[in-house]
Amino acid sequence: MLKKLLILNGVMAVAQFRDDGAYVEGYGAMPEEELVRLTHFAHDYKRMVQGNVDQLSMFAQVNGWTPPGGWIVRGPAMTVCSISNVVAVVNNNETSLTEVMKEMNEVAHY
Amino acid sequence: MANLDDLMKLNGAVAAFSYTDEGELTESRIEDDSLNNDVLDMLAHMCVANTAIATMQARGWQKLTGMEGFYPVEGFALMGLEWSAVTNNHVGVVLKNDGADYEAAYQALHS
Amino acid sequence: MSLISELAATPGVLAAGEYSFRGDRFHFEGDMDDELARMASIMCRATSMGVHMQADMMSQFAEKCGWVPVRGWMVKEKNYSVCVVANYFCFLDHNNASVNDVVNKMQATLGEPGIDMV
């Protein structure tokens, strides 16, 4: 199922991790060591975003943000995005991020 | 802005550095082989990120609780296993934990 | 006397407490109500998770990085400071309490930091 994401234009690598952060599997144009590192980052970043969104809800007293569904960090040429326990690295020039997020949502909740 | 050479006079200081709003390193003094400008640049980015988060927290806390005195943030410090980094206002100092004087560091950073 | 009681009894300390990294419980003593302490726990926990991630990343840049594992962090605000060591937090008025004394007390009592956040 995860490999389905690699078919999309611009997707360079995809990986999946467990709730405790352990690496499950990963594919794409990256050595496995980097895929493992990517999942560690995604797991940590997910928890950090969750913590900050909890605070946004708490301070602003507004529902609807938490729990966060995912996150996107966009750089000048590359983007890292994640939904649930799936993370992907995509090339900005070759991809439709909307399509990637839509597919990732499906894969993450399969 | 605090003078880096003055910060290096603090007890146990192993590095002092300055950085931009975004966290990019602009100047440094280093007296420990395991530190370099790349590490200080990362450290500065980290302190900028955490100061921003602390600012958000102080703002939210003050508005929600009505308690004054939390905003604005006047410094962020990281206490690691052996070293601490104390930062404020685009300047920071790395101190050995053993004998670190955080109050003196804050005072020096404010000067 | 527990660390929390000792910190809470220190002049200038507003409140002290501990929280679980899982976010499901907290305990505190001092001049705060339950809701404020719950908020304080959420804030401290969120920053601690971020700081651990950042320090781990930073350690990849330096072989003998003196920051890992992280003992804690501290933020100085206008009149108050928040000190966190491991999963313990302390809110103090830094004009009436010594940040050095509080941090040293917390570090001495809590000892070496663990690598896993449970």
Side-chain angles (χ1 to χ4, degrees):
Chain A
M1 196 65 180
L2 196 60
K3 285 180 182 166
K4 200 177 145 190
L5 285 171
L6 272 182
I7 301 166
L8 299 173
N9 286 342
V11 176
M12 313 281 293
V14 290
Q16 191 163 21
F17 51 96
R18 286 201 319 234
D19 282 343
D20 65 358
Y23 175 75
V24 177
E25 57 178 339
Y27 307 97
M30 257 186 199
E32 191 165 43
E33 189 193 325
E34 281 181 26
L35 290 167
V36 171
R37 243 184 229 179
L38 177 68
T39 53
H40 285 171
F41 162 73
H43 174 253
D44 285 341
Y45 200 77
K46 177 186 168 182
R47 297 208 304 179
M48 206 173 87
V49 168
Q50 171 85 62
N52 286 333
V53 174
D54 284 349
Q55 292 179 83
L56 175 66
S57 289
M58 179 173 86
F59 290 137
Q61 307 269 284
V62 174
N63 295 323
W65 289 104
T66 187
W71 51 265
I72 301 172
V73 178
R74 190 175 172 84
M78 307 289 275
T79 292
V80 186
C81 51
S82 177
I83 290 180
S84 188
N85 290 1
V86 176
V87 57
V89 179
V90 300
N91 186 321
N92 292 352
N93 295 326
E94 297 170 16
T95 196
S96 156
L97 203 54
T98 309
E99 195 187 349
V100 171
M101 294 306 276
K102 202 176 139 197
E103 287 292 326
M104 190 185 281
N105 192 38
E106 237 178 71
V107 170
H109 297 107
Y110 178 67
Chain B
M1 193 190 279
N3 181 297
L4 299 192
D5 295 316
D6 289 341
L7 291 175
M8 290 303 286
K9 289 175 193 157
L10 288 166
N11 187 33
V14 290
F17 56 101
S18 59
Y19 51 91
T20 64
D21 284 346
E22 288 78 26
E24 286 170 10
L25 191 72
T26 50
E27 209 185 330
S28 67
R29 305 281 185 278
I30 298 173
E31 271 184 18
D32 188 297
D33 288 346
S34 44
L35 278 171
N36 57 47
N37 279 343
D38 285 342
V39 178
L40 292 181
D41 183 75
M42 272 300 284
L43 180 65
H45 275 83
M46 175 189 183
C47 291
V48 166
N50 285 299
T51 303
I53 289 172
T55 301
M56 175 273 286
Q57 292 171 326
R59 192 70 158 177
W61 178 269
Q62 203 158 287
K63 285 211 172 194
L64 207 59
T65 65
M67 291 169 74
E68 297 288 325
F70 289 88
Y71 187 91
V73 167
E74 295 181 352
F76 175 81
L78 165 74
M79 279 106 63
L81 184 67
E82 294 164 17
W83 301 334
S84 288
V86 189
T87 62
N88 185 39
N89 195 22
H90 304 103
V91 198
V93 61
V94 181
L95 304 169
K96 284 180 187 159
N97 280 352
D98 195 16
D101 186 337
Y102 299 104
E103 281 157 6
Y106 279 134
Q107 212 160 23
L109 289 167
H110 276 294
S111 62
Chain C
M1 204 181 204
S2 74
L3 174 64
I4 294 174
S5 304
E6 212 171 319
L7 289 172
T10 306
V13 168
L14 193 65
E18 64 171 319
Y19 55 92
S20 71
F21 282 116
R22 283 159 47 139
D24 55 354
R25 63 179 173 83
F26 65 92
H27 164 70
F28 76 102
E29 288 179 32
D31 192 15
M32 264 188 198
D33 61 27
D34 271 11
E35 181 55 16
L36 287 192
R38 188 185 70 86
M39 282 169 53
S41 300
I42 290 172
M43 287 159 57
C44 293
R45 177 175 160 266
T47 300
S48 290
M49 286 194 304
V51 164
H52 276 83
M53 179 194 79
Q54 294 153 355
D56 285 347
M57 289 169 86
M58 211 158 60
S59 70
Q60 294 179 14
F61 285 77
E63 227 171 80
K64 288 186 206 158
C65 180
W67 286 293
V68 177
V70 170
R71 282 174 184 271
W73 53 271
M74 187 160 60
V75 61
K76 183 173 187 251
E77 293 161 342
K78 198 174 173 214
N79 297 327
Y80 295 98
S81 284
V82 179
C83 303
V84 174
V85 174
N87 56 329
Y88 285 71
F89 67 84
C90 182
F91 278 51
L92 59 98
D93 172 352
H94 53 240
N95 298 312
N96 293 302
S98 160
V99 166
N100 283 344
D101 290 350
V102 166
V103 170
N104 290 338
K105 162 64 70 186
M106 292 174 87
Q107 293 206 15
T109 309
L110 296 169
E112 291 290 309
I115 291 172
D116 292 325
M117 293 194 295
V118 181

